[in-house]
Amino acid sequence: MGRVIRAQRKGAGSVFVSHTHHRKGKPALRAVDFAERNGYIKGVVKDIIHDPGRGAPLAVAYFKDPYRYKIKKELFVAAEGMHTGMFVYCGRKAQLTIGNVMPVGNMPEGTIVCNLEEKSGDRGKIARASGNYATVIAHNPDTKRTRVKLPSGTKKVIPSANRAMVGIVAGGGRIDKPMLKAGRAYHKYKAK
C-alpha cells in the first residue's frame, strides 16, 4: 500500500480549497476599445480597497461607457501613489503619470511600469504583486517590439502595443517585516 502524499490530497479539493468567498473580483486593465487604441479615456478612482489573500490594494475606478449611457466600474491593482478622487487616463495618448495606462511602445526607455500585458489585450498579467515593477529597456520601432525587464530580472521581448500601468504596485515592503511566529503565517495562509 502506497501513501497518498499531501500534495496529492490537495488536488482532491474538499478541505483544501482556497478561500475565495470574500475576494473582490479579478483586477484587470480596461478591455481594449476604440478610445484606448486611438486617444485616451478619463476615469476617476472612487475607492482603494483591500483584497483578502492579496498583499496589494485594489483601486476601483469609474469610467464613462463610450457607447452607452452608463458608468463602467473597473478594478485595477493599485499603483503606489494612487488616491481616491484622482483622475486616471487610459489610452495611447495618455500622459506619462503614475496610475495611467498606455502602450509600452509610447513610453520612454527606463519607465517603471506594473500590470504589464504579456500578450496584447490580455488586460495585465505581469508585475502585479505588491511592490513589484517591470522596466521598459528598449524599443525596436521596425518590428514593433519592446524589451522589458521583469520583476524576476529576466528580460523579455513583448509587442509594443501591450499596455501597462505607470508606477510600481502599492503595498511594497510587505516582506521586510518578519512574521516572528508561526501563528501569523498560519493566519496569512488562512486567507489564501
Side-chain angles (χ1 to χ4, degrees):
M1 287 290 288
R3 170 77 71 203
V4 177
I5 60 173
R6 186 188 290 171
Q8 290 173 317
R9 282 175 44 219
K10 287 191 171 174
S14 81
V15 296
F16 296 110
V17 291
S18 57
H19 307 280
T20 52
H21 181 66
H22 292 292
R23 301 257 166 111
K24 301 296 183 270
K26 177 193 163 197
L29 302 176
R30 288 182 75 250
V32 192
D33 56 4
F34 180 84
E36 285 216 25
R37 250 181 259 118
N38 298 301
Y40 64 85
I41 183 164
K42 181 174 94 165
V44 60
V45 178
K46 280 284 186 188
D47 205 1
I48 307 272
I49 53 177
H50 167 70
D51 193 18
R54 183 193 298 273
L58 301 183
V60 182
Y62 284 18
F63 290 89
K64 275 169 98 172
D65 189 311
Y67 304 111
R68 289 170 196 81
Y69 177 67
K70 61 177 176 187
I71 297 231
K72 278 268 183 78
K73 290 182 193 173
E74 296 289 341
L75 254 187
F76 293 145
V77 174
E80 196 163 297
M82 268 190 173
H83 56 85
T84 51
M86 162 180 171
F87 290 123
V88 285
Y89 298 90
C90 301
R92 193 165 64 92
K93 300 240 172 79
Q95 285 181 324
L96 195 77
T97 48
I98 285 178
N100 286 2
V101 177
M102 54 198 287
V104 285
N106 294 26
M107 297 178 183
E109 282 131 14
T111 310
I112 303 282
V113 296
C114 59
N115 257 326
L116 176 64
E117 290 186 329
E118 201 166 7
K119 301 181 176 70
S120 291
D122 69 11
R123 303 182 68 183
K125 292 276 182 271
I126 302 172
R128 289 158 60 102
S130 56
N132 268 9
Y133 60 89
T135 314
V136 178
I137 300 173
H139 300 295
N140 187 341
D142 308 331
T143 55
K144 290 200 167 61
R145 293 197 170 269
T146 301
R147 270 178 83 84
V148 291
K149 186 174 175 212
L150 307 185
S152 62
T154 322
K155 294 185 175 68
K156 186 177 167 100
V157 179
I158 59 168
S160 296
N162 288 14
R163 297 167 302 156
M165 185 180 276
V166 183
I168 77 170
V169 185
R174 176 169 53 88
I175 54 174
D176 298 347
K177 182 184 173 190
M179 284 274 196
L180 290 180
K181 52 185 199 176
R184 295 213 178 123
Y186 168 81
H187 287 299
K188 171 186 158 185
Y189 286 109
K190 207 167 174 62
K192 294 189 175 183

